[in-house]
Coordinates of all heavy atoms in Angstrom, one line a residue:
M159 N -48.4 37.3 -3.4 CA -48.1 38.7 -3.2 C -46.6 38.9 -3.0 O -46.0 38.3 -2.2 CB -48.9 39.2 -2.0 CG -48.7 40.7 -1.8 SD -49.9 41.2 -0.5 CE -49.4 42.8 -0.3
P160 N -46.0 39.8 -3.8 CA -44.6 40.0 -3.7 C -44.3 40.8 -2.4 O -45.1 41.5 -1.9 CB -44.3 40.9 -4.9 CG -45.6 41.4 -5.4 CD -46.6 40.5 -4.9
Y161 N -43.0 40.6 -2.0 CA -42.5 41.3 -0.8 C -42.3 42.8 -1.2 O -41.9 43.1 -2.3 CB -41.2 40.7 -0.4 CG -41.3 39.4 0.4 CD1 -41.3 38.2 -0.3 CD2 -41.3 39.4 1.7 CE1 -41.3 37.0 0.4 CE2 -41.4 38.2 2.4 CZ -41.4 37.0 1.7 OH -41.5 35.9 2.4
L162 N -42.6 43.6 -0.3 CA -42.3 45.1 -0.5 C -40.8 45.3 -0.3 O -40.2 46.2 -1.0 CB -43.0 45.9 0.5 CG -44.6 45.9 0.3 CD1 -45.2 46.7 1.4 CD2 -45.0 46.4 -1.0
D163 N -40.1 44.5 0.5 CA -38.7 44.6 0.8 C -38.0 43.6 -0.1 O -38.1 42.4 0.1 CB -38.4 44.3 2.3 CG -36.9 44.5 2.6 OD1 -36.1 44.4 1.7 OD2 -36.7 44.7 3.8
K164 N -37.3 44.1 -1.1 CA -36.7 43.2 -2.1 C -35.6 42.3 -1.5 O -35.4 41.2 -1.9 CB -36.1 44.0 -3.3 CG -37.1 44.7 -4.1 CD -38.0 43.7 -4.9 CE -39.0 44.5 -5.7 NZ -39.9 43.6 -6.3
D165 N -34.8 42.8 -0.5 CA -33.8 42.0 0.2 C -34.4 40.9 0.9 O -33.9 39.8 1.0 CB -33.0 42.9 1.1 CG -32.1 43.9 0.3 OD1 -31.7 43.5 -0.8 OD2 -31.8 45.0 0.9
L166 N -35.6 41.2 1.6 CA -36.3 40.1 2.3 C -36.7 39.0 1.3 O -36.6 37.8 1.6 CB -37.4 40.7 3.1 CG -38.2 39.8 4.0 CD1 -37.3 39.2 5.1 CD2 -39.4 40.5 4.6
Q167 N -37.2 39.4 0.2 CA -37.7 38.5 -0.8 C -36.5 37.6 -1.3 O -36.6 36.4 -1.4 CB -38.3 39.2 -2.0 CG -38.8 38.2 -3.1 CD -39.5 38.9 -4.2 OE1 -39.7 40.1 -4.2 NE2 -40.0 38.1 -5.2
K168 N -35.4 38.2 -1.6 CA -34.2 37.5 -2.0 C -33.7 36.5 -0.9 O -33.4 35.3 -1.2 CB -33.0 38.4 -2.3 CG -33.2 39.2 -3.6 CD -32.0 40.1 -3.9 CE -32.3 40.9 -5.1 NZ -31.2 41.9 -5.4
D169 N -33.7 36.9 0.3 CA -33.4 36.0 1.4 C -34.3 34.8 1.5 O -33.9 33.7 1.7 CB -33.4 36.8 2.8 CG -32.2 37.8 2.9 OD1 -31.3 37.7 2.1 OD2 -32.3 38.6 3.7
F170 N -35.6 35.1 1.4 CA -36.6 34.0 1.4 C -36.4 33.0 0.2 O -36.4 31.8 0.4 CB -38.0 34.6 1.3 CG -39.1 33.5 1.1 CD1 -39.6 32.9 2.3 CD2 -39.6 33.2 -0.1 CE1 -40.5 31.9 2.1 CE2 -40.5 32.2 -0.3 CZ -41.0 31.5 0.8
Q171 N -36.2 33.6 -1.0 CA -36.0 32.7 -2.1 C -34.7 31.8 -2.0 O -34.7 30.7 -2.3 CB -35.9 33.5 -3.4 CG -37.3 34.1 -3.8 CD -37.2 35.0 -5.0 OE1 -36.2 35.7 -5.1 NE2 -38.3 35.1 -5.7
R172 N -33.6 32.5 -1.5 CA -32.4 31.7 -1.3 C -32.6 30.6 -0.3 O -32.1 29.5 -0.5 CB -31.3 32.7 -0.8 CG -29.9 32.1 -0.7 CD -28.8 33.1 -0.4 NE -29.1 34.3 0.2 CZ -29.3 35.5 -0.4 NH1 -29.2 35.6 -1.7 NH2 -29.6 36.6 0.3
L173 N -33.2 30.9 0.8 CA -33.5 29.8 1.8 C -34.4 28.8 1.3 O -34.1 27.6 1.5 CB -34.1 30.5 3.1 CG -34.4 29.5 4.2 CD1 -33.2 28.9 4.7 CD2 -35.1 30.3 5.3
W174 N -35.4 29.1 0.5 CA -36.3 28.1 -0.1 C -35.6 27.2 -1.0 O -35.7 26.0 -1.0 CB -37.4 28.9 -0.8 CG -38.5 28.0 -1.3 CD1 -39.6 27.6 -0.6 CD2 -38.6 27.3 -2.6 NE1 -40.4 26.7 -1.4 CE2 -39.8 26.6 -2.6 CE3 -37.8 27.3 -3.7 CZ2 -40.2 25.8 -3.7 CZ3 -38.2 26.5 -4.8 CH2 -39.4 25.8 -4.8
M175 N -34.7 27.8 -1.9 CA -33.9 27.0 -2.8 C -32.9 26.1 -2.1 O -32.7 24.9 -2.5 CB -33.2 27.9 -3.8 CG -34.1 28.6 -4.7 SD -34.9 27.6 -5.9 CE -33.8 27.6 -7.2
Q176 N -32.3 26.5 -1.0 CA -31.4 25.7 -0.2 C -32.2 24.5 0.4 O -31.7 23.4 0.3 CB -30.8 26.5 0.9 CG -29.7 27.5 0.4 CD -29.2 28.4 1.5 OE1 -29.8 28.5 2.6 NE2 -28.2 29.1 1.2
K177 N -33.4 24.8 0.9 CA -34.2 23.7 1.5 C -34.6 22.7 0.4 O -34.6 21.5 0.6 CB -35.4 24.2 2.2 CG -35.1 24.9 3.5 CD -36.4 25.4 4.1 CE -36.1 26.1 5.4 NZ -37.3 26.6 6.1
R178 N -35.0 23.2 -0.8 CA -35.4 22.3 -1.9 C -34.2 21.4 -2.3 O -34.3 20.2 -2.6 CB -36.0 23.1 -3.0 CG -36.3 22.3 -4.3 CD -37.4 21.2 -4.1 NE -38.7 21.7 -3.7 CZ -39.6 22.0 -4.6 NH1 -39.4 21.9 -5.9 NH2 -40.8 22.5 -4.1
R179 N -33.0 22.0 -2.5 CA -31.9 21.3 -2.9 C -31.5 20.2 -1.9 O -31.2 19.1 -2.2 CB -30.7 22.3 -3.1 CG -29.4 21.6 -3.6 CD -28.3 22.6 -3.8 NE -27.2 22.0 -4.5 CZ -26.3 21.3 -4.0 NH1 -26.3 21.0 -2.7 NH2 -25.3 20.8 -4.7
Q180 N -31.6 20.6 -0.6 CA -31.3 19.6 0.4 C -32.3 18.4 0.4 O -31.9 17.3 0.6 CB -31.2 20.3 1.8 CG -30.7 19.3 2.9 CD -29.3 18.8 2.6 OE1 -28.4 19.6 2.4 NE2 -29.1 17.5 2.7
F181 N -33.6 18.8 0.2 CA -34.6 17.7 0.1 C -34.2 16.7 -1.0 O -34.3 15.5 -0.8 CB -35.9 18.4 -0.2 CG -37.0 17.4 -0.6 CD1 -37.6 16.7 0.4 CD2 -37.5 17.3 -1.9 CE1 -38.7 15.8 0.1 CE2 -38.5 16.4 -2.2 CZ -39.1 15.7 -1.2
L182 N -33.8 17.2 -2.2 CA -33.5 16.4 -3.3 C -32.2 15.6 -3.0 O -32.1 14.4 -3.4 CB -33.4 17.2 -4.6 CG -34.7 17.8 -5.1 CD1 -34.4 18.7 -6.3 CD2 -35.7 16.8 -5.4
I183 N -31.2 16.2 -2.4 CA -30.0 15.5 -2.0 C -30.4 14.4 -1.0 O -29.9 13.2 -1.2 CB -29.0 16.5 -1.3 CG1 -28.4 17.4 -2.4 CG2 -27.9 15.7 -0.5 CD1 -27.5 18.5 -1.9
D184 N -31.2 14.6 -0.1 CA -31.7 13.6 0.9 C -32.4 12.4 0.1 O -32.2 11.3 0.5 CB -32.6 14.2 1.9 CG -31.8 15.1 2.9 OD1 -30.6 15.1 2.9 OD2 -32.5 15.9 3.6
L185 N -33.2 12.7 -0.9 CA -33.8 11.7 -1.7 C -32.8 10.7 -2.3 O -33.1 9.6 -2.5 CB -34.7 12.3 -2.8 CG -36.1 12.8 -2.4 CD1 -36.8 13.4 -3.6 CD2 -36.9 11.7 -1.8
L186 N -31.7 11.3 -2.7 CA -30.6 10.5 -3.3 C -29.6 9.9 -2.4 O -28.6 9.3 -2.8 CB -29.9 11.3 -4.4 CG -30.8 11.7 -5.6 CD1 -30.0 12.6 -6.6 CD2 -31.2 10.4 -6.4
G187 N -29.9 10.0 -1.1 CA -29.0 9.3 -0.1 C -28.0 10.2 0.6 O -27.4 9.8 1.5
G188 N -27.8 11.5 0.1 CA -27.0 12.4 0.8 C -25.5 12.2 0.7 O -24.8 12.9 1.5
K189 N -25.0 11.4 -0.2 CA -23.6 11.2 -0.3 C -23.2 10.8 -1.7 O -24.1 10.3 -2.5 CB -23.1 10.1 0.7 CG -23.7 8.8 0.5 CD -23.2 7.8 1.6 CE -23.9 6.4 1.4 NZ -23.5 5.5 2.4
C190 N -22.0 11.0 -2.0 CA -21.5 10.7 -3.4 C -21.6 9.2 -3.7 O -21.3 8.3 -2.8 CB -20.0 11.0 -3.5 SG -19.2 10.6 -5.1
A191 N -22.1 8.9 -4.8 CA -22.4 7.5 -5.2 C -21.1 6.7 -5.5 O -21.1 5.5 -5.4 CB -23.2 7.5 -6.5
K192 N -20.0 7.4 -5.6 CA -18.7 6.7 -5.9 C -17.8 6.6 -4.6 O -17.3 5.6 -4.4 CB -17.9 7.5 -7.0 CG -18.6 7.6 -8.3 CD -18.6 6.3 -9.0 CE -19.3 6.5 -10.4 NZ -19.6 5.2 -11.0
C193 N -17.7 7.7 -3.9 CA -16.7 7.7 -2.8 C -17.4 7.9 -1.4 O -16.7 8.0 -0.4 CB -15.6 8.7 -3.0 SG -16.2 10.4 -2.9
D194 N -18.7 8.1 -1.3 CA -19.4 8.4 -0.1 C -19.1 9.7 0.6 O -19.5 10.0 1.7 CB -19.1 7.3 1.0 CG -19.8 5.9 0.6 OD1 -20.7 5.9 -0.3 OD2 -19.3 4.9 1.1
S195 N -18.5 10.6 -0.1 CA -18.3 12.0 0.4 C -19.6 12.7 0.5 O -20.5 12.4 -0.2 CB -17.4 12.8 -0.6 OG -17.3 14.1 -0.1
T196 N -19.7 13.6 1.5 CA -20.9 14.4 1.7 C -20.6 15.9 1.4 O -21.4 16.7 1.6 CB -21.4 14.3 3.1 OG1 -20.4 14.7 4.0 CG2 -21.9 12.9 3.4
E197 N -19.4 16.1 0.8 CA -19.0 17.5 0.5 C -19.1 17.8 -1.0 O -18.9 16.9 -1.8 CB -17.5 17.7 1.0 CG -17.3 17.5 2.4 CD -18.1 18.4 3.4 OE1 -18.1 19.6 3.0 OE2 -18.6 18.0 4.4
E198 N -19.4 19.0 -1.3 CA -19.4 19.5 -2.7 C -20.3 18.6 -3.6 O -19.8 18.2 -4.7 CB -18.0 19.6 -3.3 CG -17.1 20.5 -2.6 CD -15.7 20.6 -3.2 OE1 -15.6 20.8 -4.4 OE2 -14.8 20.4 -2.4
L199 N -21.4 18.2 -3.2 CA -22.3 17.3 -4.0 C -23.0 18.0 -5.1 O -23.4 19.1 -5.0 CB -23.3 16.7 -3.1 CG -22.8 15.7 -2.0 CD1 -23.9 15.3 -1.1 CD2 -22.1 14.6 -2.5
Q200 N -23.0 17.3 -6.2 CA -23.7 17.7 -7.5 C -24.6 16.7 -8.0 O -24.4 15.5 -7.8 CB -22.6 18.0 -8.5 CG -21.6 19.1 -8.2 CD -20.6 19.3 -9.3 OE1 -21.0 19.2 -10.4 NE2 -19.4 19.6 -8.9
F201 N -25.7 17.1 -8.6 CA -26.6 16.2 -9.3 C -26.0 15.8 -10.6 O -25.5 16.6 -11.3 CB -28.0 16.8 -9.5 CG -28.6 17.2 -8.2 CD1 -28.7 18.5 -7.8 CD2 -29.2 16.2 -7.4 CE1 -29.3 18.9 -6.6 CE2 -29.9 16.6 -6.2 CZ -29.9 17.9 -5.8
D202 N -26.0 14.5 -10.9 CA -25.4 14.0 -12.1 C -26.3 13.1 -12.8 O -26.8 12.1 -12.2 CB -24.1 13.3 -11.8 CG -23.5 12.7 -13.0 OD1 -23.1 13.4 -13.9 OD2 -23.4 11.4 -13.0
H203 N -26.7 13.3 -14.1 CA -27.5 12.4 -14.8 C -26.8 11.1 -15.0 O -25.6 11.1 -15.4 CB -27.9 12.9 -16.2 CG -29.1 13.8 -16.1 ND1 -29.0 15.2 -15.9 CD2 -30.4 13.5 -16.1 CE1 -30.2 15.7 -15.8 NE2 -31.1 14.7 -16.0
L204 N -27.4 10.0 -14.7 CA -26.8 8.6 -14.9 C -26.4 8.4 -16.3 O -25.4 7.8 -16.6 CB -27.8 7.5 -14.4 CG -28.0 7.6 -12.9 CD1 -29.2 6.7 -12.5 CD2 -26.8 7.1 -12.1
D205 N -27.2 8.8 -17.2 CA -26.9 8.6 -18.6 C -27.0 9.9 -19.4 O -28.0 10.5 -19.6 CB -28.0 7.6 -19.2 CG -27.7 7.3 -20.7 OD1 -26.8 7.8 -21.3 OD2 -28.5 6.5 -21.3
Y206 N -25.8 10.4 -19.7 CA -25.8 11.7 -20.4 C -26.5 11.7 -21.8 O -26.9 12.8 -22.3 CB -24.3 12.2 -20.6 CG -23.6 12.5 -19.3 CD1 -22.2 12.3 -19.2 CD2 -24.2 13.1 -18.3 CE1 -21.5 12.6 -18.1 CE2 -23.6 13.4 -17.1 CZ -22.2 13.2 -17.0 OH -21.5 13.5 -15.9
N207 N -26.6 10.6 -22.4 CA -27.3 10.5 -23.7 C -28.8 10.4 -23.6 O -29.5 10.5 -24.6 CB -26.7 9.3 -24.4 CG -25.2 9.4 -24.7 OD1 -24.7 10.5 -25.0 ND2 -24.5 8.3 -24.5
Q208 N -29.3 10.1 -22.4 CA -30.7 10.0 -22.2 C -31.4 11.4 -22.3 O -30.8 12.4 -21.8 CB -31.0 9.4 -20.8 CG -32.5 9.1 -20.5 CD -32.7 8.6 -19.1 OE1 -31.9 8.8 -18.2 NE2 -33.8 7.9 -18.9
A209 N -32.5 11.4 -22.9 CA -33.2 12.7 -23.0 C -33.6 13.2 -21.6 O -34.2 12.5 -20.8 CB -34.5 12.5 -23.8
K210 N -33.3 14.5 -21.4 CA -33.6 15.1 -20.1 C -34.8 16.0 -20.3 O -34.9 16.8 -21.2 CB -32.4 16.0 -19.7 CG -31.1 15.3 -19.5 CD -30.0 16.3 -19.3 CE -28.7 15.6 -19.4 NZ -27.6 16.6 -19.3
K211 N -35.8 15.8 -19.4 CA -37.0 16.7 -19.5 C -36.7 18.0 -18.8 O -37.2 19.0 -19.3 CB -38.2 16.0 -18.8 CG -38.7 14.8 -19.5 CD -40.0 14.3 -18.8 CE -40.5 13.1 -19.6 NZ -41.7 12.5 -19.0
L212 N -35.9 18.0 -17.8 CA -35.6 19.3 -17.1 C -34.1 19.3 -16.8 O -33.6 18.3 -16.4 CB -36.4 19.3 -15.8 CG -37.9 19.2 -15.8 CD1 -38.5 19.1 -14.4 CD2 -38.5 20.5 -16.5
A213 N -33.5 20.5 -16.9 CA -32.1 20.6 -16.5 C -32.1 20.6 -14.9 O -33.0 21.1 -14.3 CB -31.6 21.9 -17.0
I214 N -31.1 20.0 -14.4 CA -30.9 19.9 -13.0 C -31.0 21.3 -12.3 O -31.7 21.4 -11.2 CB -29.6 19.2 -12.6 CG1 -29.6 17.7 -13.0 CG2 -29.3 19.3 -11.1 CD1 -30.7 16.9 -12.4
N215 N -30.4 22.3 -12.8 CA -30.4 23.6 -12.1 C -31.8 24.2 -12.2 O -32.1 25.2 -11.4 CB -29.4 24.5 -12.7 CG -29.6 24.8 -14.2 OD1 -30.3 24.1 -14.9 ND2 -29.0 25.9 -14.6
K216 N -32.7 23.7 -13.0 CA -34.0 24.3 -13.1 C -35.0 23.5 -12.2 O -36.0 24.1 -11.8 CB -34.5 24.2 -14.6 CG -33.7 24.9 -15.5 CD -33.9 26.4 -15.4 CE -33.1 27.1 -16.5 NZ -32.9 28.5 -16.3
I217 N -34.7 22.3 -11.9 CA -35.8 21.5 -11.2 C -36.0 21.9 -9.8 O -37.0 21.6 -9.2 CB -35.4 20.0 -11.2 CG1 -34.2 19.7 -10.4 CG2 -35.4 19.4 -12.6 CD1 -34.0 18.2 -10.1
L218 N -35.1 22.7 -9.2 CA -35.3 23.2 -7.8 C -36.5 24.0 -7.7 O -37.2 24.0 -6.7 CB -34.0 24.0 -7.4 CG -32.7 23.2 -7.3 CD1 -31.6 24.2 -6.9 CD2 -32.8 22.1 -6.3
S219 N -36.9 24.7 -8.8 CA -38.1 25.6 -8.7 C -39.4 24.9 -9.2 O -40.4 25.5 -9.2 CB -37.8 26.9 -9.4 OG -37.6 26.6 -10.8
Y220 N -39.3 23.7 -9.7 CA -40.4 23.0 -10.2 C -41.2 22.3 -9.1 O -40.8 22.2 -8.0 CB -40.0 21.9 -11.3 CG -39.8 22.5 -12.6 CD1 -38.7 23.4 -12.8 CD2 -40.7 22.3 -13.7 CE1 -38.5 24.0 -14.1 CE2 -40.4 22.8 -14.9 CZ -39.4 23.7 -15.1 OH -39.2 24.2 -16.3
Q221 N -42.4 21.8 -9.5 CA -43.3 21.1 -8.5 C -42.5 19.9 -8.0 O -41.7 19.3 -8.8 CB -44.5 20.6 -9.2 CG -45.5 21.7 -9.6 CD -46.7 21.1 -10.4 OE1 -46.7 20.0 -10.7 NE2 -47.6 22.0 -10.7
V222 N -42.7 19.5 -6.8 CA -42.0 18.4 -6.2 C -42.2 17.1 -7.0 O -41.2 16.4 -7.3 CB -42.5 18.1 -4.8 CG1 -41.9 16.8 -4.2 CG2 -42.1 19.3 -3.9
S223 N -43.4 16.9 -7.6 CA -43.6 15.6 -8.4 C -42.7 15.6 -9.6 O -42.1 14.6 -10.0 CB -45.1 15.5 -8.8 OG -45.5 16.6 -9.5
K224 N -42.6 16.8 -10.3 CA -41.7 16.8 -11.5 C -40.3 16.7 -11.1 O -39.5 16.1 -11.8 CB -42.0 18.2 -12.2 CG -43.2 18.2 -13.0 CD -43.3 19.5 -13.8 CE -44.6 19.6 -14.5 NZ -44.7 20.9 -15.3
A225 N -39.9 17.3 -10.0 CA -38.5 17.3 -9.6 C -38.1 15.8 -9.2 O -37.1 15.3 -9.6 CB -38.3 18.2 -8.4
K226 N -39.0 15.1 -8.5 CA -38.8 13.7 -8.2 C -38.7 12.8 -9.4 O -37.8 11.9 -9.4 CB -39.9 13.2 -7.3 CG -39.8 13.6 -5.8 CD -41.0 13.0 -5.0 CE -40.9 13.4 -3.6 NZ -42.0 12.7 -2.9
E227 N -39.5 13.1 -10.4 CA -39.4 12.3 -11.6 C -38.0 12.5 -12.3 O -37.5 11.5 -12.8 CB -40.5 12.8 -12.6 CG -40.6 12.1 -13.9 CD -41.7 12.6 -14.8 OE1 -42.8 13.0 -14.3 OE2 -41.5 12.6 -16.0
E228 N -37.5 13.7 -12.4 CA -36.2 13.9 -13.0 C -35.1 13.4 -12.2 O -34.1 12.9 -12.7 CB -36.1 15.4 -13.3 CG -34.9 15.7 -14.2 CD -35.0 15.1 -15.6 OE1 -36.1 14.8 -16.1 OE2 -33.9 15.0 -16.3
I229 N -35.2 13.6 -10.9 CA -34.1 13.2 -10.0 C -33.9 11.7 -9.9 O -32.8 11.2 -9.6 CB -34.4 13.8 -8.5 CG1 -33.0 14.1 -7.9 CG2 -35.1 12.8 -7.7 CD1 -32.4 15.3 -8.4
K230 N -34.9 10.9 -10.3 CA -34.8 9.5 -10.4 C -33.7 9.1 -11.5 O -33.2 8.0 -11.4 CB -36.1 8.8 -10.8 CG -37.1 8.8 -9.7 CD -38.4 8.2 -10.2 CE -39.5 8.3 -9.1 NZ -40.8 7.7 -9.6
K231 N -33.5 10.0 -12.4 CA -32.5 9.7 -13.5 C -31.1 10.2 -13.1 O -30.2 10.2 -13.9 CB -32.9 10.5 -14.7 CG -34.2 10.1 -15.3 CD -34.5 11.0 -16.5 CE -36.0 11.0 -16.8 NZ -36.3 12.0 -17.8
C232 N -30.9 10.5 -11.8 CA -29.7 11.1 -11.4 C -29.0 10.4 -10.2 O -29.6 9.5 -9.6 CB -29.9 12.6 -10.9 SG -30.6 13.6 -12.2
Q233 N -27.8 10.7 -10.0 CA -27.1 10.3 -8.8 C -26.3 11.5 -8.2 O -26.2 12.5 -8.9 CB -26.0 9.2 -9.2 CG -25.0 9.7 -10.1 CD -24.0 8.6 -10.6 OE1 -24.0 7.5 -10.0 NE2 -23.2 8.9 -11.6
L234 N -25.9 11.4 -7.0 CA -25.1 12.4 -6.4 C -23.6 12.1 -6.6 O -23.2 10.9 -6.4 CB -25.3 12.6 -4.9 CG -26.7 13.2 -4.5 CD1 -26.8 13.1 -3.0 CD2 -26.8 14.6 -5.0
L235 N -22.8 13.0 -7.1 CA -21.4 12.9 -7.2 C -20.7 14.1 -6.5 O -21.2 15.2 -6.7 CB -20.9 12.7 -8.6 CG -21.3 11.5 -9.4 CD1 -20.8 11.6 -10.8 CD2 -20.8 10.2 -8.7
C236 N -19.6 13.9 -5.8 CA -18.8 15.0 -5.4 C -18.1 15.6 -6.6 O -18.0 15.0 -7.6 CB -17.9 14.6 -4.3 SG -16.6 13.4 -4.8
T237 N -17.6 16.8 -6.4 CA -17.0 17.5 -7.5 C -15.8 16.7 -8.2 O -15.8 16.5 -9.4 CB -16.5 18.9 -7.1 OG1 -17.7 19.7 -6.7 CG2 -15.8 19.6 -8.3
P238 N -14.9 16.1 -7.3 CA -13.8 15.3 -8.0 C -14.4 14.1 -8.8 O -13.9 13.9 -9.9 CB -13.0 14.9 -6.8 CG -13.2 15.9 -5.7 CD -14.7 16.3 -5.9
C239 N -15.3 13.4 -8.2 CA -15.9 12.2 -8.9 C -16.6 12.6 -10.2 O -16.6 12.0 -11.2 CB -16.8 11.4 -8.0 SG -15.8 10.5 -6.7
K240 N -17.3 13.8 -10.1 CA -18.0 14.2 -11.3 C -17.0 14.6 -12.4 O -17.3 14.4 -13.6 CB -18.9 15.4 -10.9 CG -19.6 16.1 -12.1 CD -21.1 16.0 -12.1 CE -21.6 16.7 -13.3 NZ -23.0 16.9 -13.3
N241 N -16.0 15.3 -12.0 CA -14.9 15.7 -13.0 C -14.3 14.4 -13.7 O -14.1 14.4 -14.9 CB -13.8 16.5 -12.3 CG -14.3 17.9 -11.9 OD1 -15.3 18.4 -12.4 ND2 -13.6 18.5 -11.0
I242 N -14.1 13.4 -12.9 CA -13.5 12.1 -13.5 C -14.6 11.5 -14.4 O -14.2 11.1 -15.5 CB -13.2 11.2 -12.3 CG1 -12.0 11.7 -11.6 CG2 -12.9 9.8 -12.9 CD1 -11.7 10.9 -10.3
K243 N -15.8 11.5 -14.0 CA -16.8 10.9 -14.9 C -16.9 11.7 -16.2 O -17.0 11.1 -17.3 CB -18.2 10.9 -14.2 CG -19.3 10.3 -15.1 CD -20.6 10.3 -14.4 CE -21.6 9.7 -15.4 NZ -23.0 9.8 -15.0
M244 N -16.9 13.0 -16.1 CA -17.0 13.9 -17.3 C -15.8 13.6 -18.3 O -16.0 13.5 -19.5 CB -17.0 15.4 -17.0 CG -18.4 15.8 -16.4 SD -19.7 15.6 -17.6 CE -19.2 16.7 -18.9
L245 N -14.6 13.5 -17.7 CA -13.4 13.2 -18.5 C -13.5 11.9 -19.2 O -13.2 11.8 -20.4 CB -12.1 13.3 -17.7 CG -11.7 14.7 -17.2 CD1 -10.5 14.6 -16.2 CD2 -11.3 15.6 -18.4
E246 N -14.0 10.9 -18.5 CA -14.2 9.5 -19.1 C -15.2 9.6 -20.2 O -15.0 9.0 -21.2 CB -14.5 8.5 -18.0 CG -13.4 8.2 -17.0 CD -13.8 7.4 -15.8 OE1 -15.1 7.2 -15.6 OE2 -12.9 7.0 -15.1
W247 N -16.3 10.3 -19.9 CA -17.4 10.4 -20.9 C -16.9 11.1 -22.2 O -17.2 10.7 -23.3 CB -18.6 11.1 -20.3 CG -19.7 11.1 -21.2 CD1 -20.7 10.2 -21.5 CD2 -20.1 12.2 -22.1 NE1 -21.6 10.6 -22.4 CE2 -21.3 11.9 -22.8 CE3 -19.5 13.5 -22.3 CZ2 -21.9 12.7 -23.7 CZ3 -20.2 14.3 -23.3 CH2 -21.3 13.9 -23.9
Q248 N -16.1 12.2 -22.0 CA -15.6 12.9 -23.1 C -14.7 12.0 -24.0 O -14.7 12.1 -25.2 CB -14.9 14.2 -22.7 CG -15.8 15.2 -22.2 CD -15.1 16.4 -21.5 OE1 -14.0 16.4 -21.2 NE2 -15.9 17.5 -21.3
K249 N -13.8 11.2 -23.3 CA -12.9 10.4 -24.0 C -13.7 9.3 -24.8 O -13.3 9.0 -26.0 CB -12.0 9.6 -23.1 CG -10.9 10.5 -22.5 CD -10.0 9.7 -21.6 CE -9.0 10.6 -20.9 NZ -8.1 9.9 -19.9
E250 N -14.7 8.8 -24.2 CA -15.5 7.7 -24.9 C -16.3 8.3 -26.1 O -16.6 7.6 -27.0 CB -16.5 7.1 -23.9 CG -15.9 6.3 -22.9 CD -16.9 5.8 -21.8 OE1 -18.1 6.1 -22.0 OE2 -16.4 5.2 -20.8
N251 N -16.6 9.6 -26.0 CA -17.5 10.2 -27.0 C -16.8 11.2 -28.0 O -17.5 11.9 -28.7 CB -18.7 10.9 -26.4 CG -19.6 9.8 -25.7 OD1 -20.3 9.1 -26.4 ND2 -19.5 9.7 -24.4
Q252 N -15.5 11.1 -28.0 CA -14.8 12.0 -28.9 C -15.0 11.5 -30.3 O -15.0 10.3 -30.6 CB -13.3 12.0 -28.6 CG -12.9 12.8 -27.5 CD -11.4 12.8 -27.2 OE1 -10.7 11.9 -27.6 NE2 -10.9 13.8 -26.5
T253 N -15.2 12.4 -31.2 CA -15.3 12.0 -32.6 C -13.9 12.1 -33.2 O -13.2 13.0 -33.1 CB -16.3 13.0 -33.4 OG1 -15.8 14.3 -33.2 CG2 -17.7 12.9 -32.8
S254 N -13.6 11.0 -33.9 CA -12.3 10.9 -34.6 C -12.4 11.6 -35.9 O -13.4 11.4 -36.7 CB -11.9 9.5 -34.7 OG -12.9 8.7 -35.4
E255 N -11.4 12.4 -36.2 CA -11.4 13.1 -37.5 C -10.5 12.5 -38.5 O -9.5 11.9 -38.2 CB -11.0 14.6 -37.2 CG -12.1 15.2 -36.4 CD -11.7 16.7 -36.2 OE1 -11.1 17.3 -37.0 OE2 -12.2 17.2 -35.1

């Protein structure tokens, strides 16, 4: 049943998503896989070329079993480490013309 108060519903959904995100972060150890930082954590697919069943930003709202299945293909990286990984991946996968 939907909330009659739309602001209350938004607050509930925001809190629910924060709790789900924290649950998945905890499943992955709660720190960056490269530098052990606990700040600005992002989900990162271990293999960018591997087929993804669900996009990371979508799994927060999926059933826990589906979210756990996809999160097994991921690691946590802080923003600086994720940026470095992306740059390295882009260099490796550039097409030469």
